[in-house]
Amino acid sequence: MVMAKDVVEAASDEALLVAYGRGERAAAQALTARLAPMALRVAARMLGDPAEAEDVTQEAMLRLWRAAPGWRTGEARISTWLYRVVSNLCIDRLRKARAQALDAVPEPADGAPGAEARMQQAARTRALEAALMRLPERQRQAVVLRHLEGLSNPEIADVMEIGTEAVESLTARGKRALAADLAGRRSELGYDDD
């Protein structure tokens, strides 16, 4: 049976995964369109490398498709499961990269209107990304999921498999470390005007 397009679009993530497990290709396409951008954002922010982030996203989606036939409904939210897989894949890559020299992260394209504004925003972005990369892995993961992805503390606790108090502590320490790291650069980054 093939799911109608409007049914696919209105279906929950779990319903789409179960349908894919039964062989519904349209369900896989719809779920990919919903979840892959989130996975890519998290991976890019954790790794600081777009190519590596794409590899992690592909691997995470492949793992989701392999899990589809045996997915037990009602046990976990698919997005939470995927955040956990992406985070773990990123941490694995970061640990492997420690033994090797990391190349400079290329500057992502920025759509700001003026050249000066683009340069200032690019400097701010580079400074934040560099400061994020200096955080310990678990703090970086908590800060990215909370403040850049907008997950709630209980959702982050599920992803990281820790308690909400630990999430709060990791997030608070990460924010303090970022603030301390960037404090001396306010003028350089153009925040004296704000």
Side-chain angles (χ1 to χ4, degrees):
M1 181 177 123
V2 177
M3 296 175 76
K5 184 177 180 179
D6 58 332
V7 172
V8 168
E9 291 173 2
S12 69
D13 293 348
E14 190 170 68
L16 290 173
L17 188 62
V18 170
Y20 171 73
R22 292 190 313 257
E24 297 281 343
R25 293 184 67 145
Q29 292 170 337
L31 200 53
T32 299
R34 282 184 196 174
L35 298 178
M38 170 276 299
L40 183 61
R41 276 192 321 271
V42 171
R45 288 175 172 154
M46 286 189 69
L47 296 171
D49 182 337
E52 288 284 318
E54 287 178 13
D55 289 347
V56 164
T57 300
Q58 288 177 2
E59 177 62 27
M61 295 307 292
L62 283 173
R63 290 184 184 193
L64 181 62
W65 303 139
R66 283 188 219 122
W71 188 265
R72 294 187 299 234
T73 58
E75 286 191 19
R77 289 182 52 204
I78 293 169
S79 60
T80 300
W81 183 92
L82 191 60
Y83 274 120
R84 181 177 300 140
V85 169
V86 168
S87 294
N88 288 340
L89 288 169
C90 288
I91 288 170
D92 289 347
R93 285 181 184 245
L94 289 168
R95 288 179 179 158
K96 287 178 187 174
R98 280 189 190 142
Q100 304 167 351
L102 295 176
D103 294 330
V105 176
E107 179 62 34
D110 192 356
E116 184 179 333
R118 283 196 313 265
M119 288 173 43
Q120 188 171 61
Q121 184 58 42
R124 289 174 176 178
T125 300
R126 281 192 308 273
L128 177 60
E129 287 174 355
L132 275 171
M133 296 309 288
R134 287 188 289 272
L135 289 178
E137 291 169 2
R138 301 291 278 176
Q139 286 180 20
R140 181 182 329 135
Q141 184 181 13
V143 169
V144 165
L145 293 175
R146 179 71 182 112
H147 295 288
L148 299 176
E149 286 301 311
L151 269 65
S152 68
N153 286 347
E155 289 173 320
I156 297 168
D158 285 345
V159 170
M160 296 180 71
E161 297 179 316
I162 58 177
T164 53
E165 296 83 11
V167 170
E168 292 168 3
S169 175
L170 286 169
T171 304
R173 285 183 297 169
K175 283 174 48 180
R176 281 193 305 270
L178 285 174
D181 192 339
L182 297 171
R185 299 186 64 192
R186 286 186 59 78
S187 179
E188 171 191 347
L189 297 173
Y191 284 109
D192 287 341
D193 302 334
D194 295 349

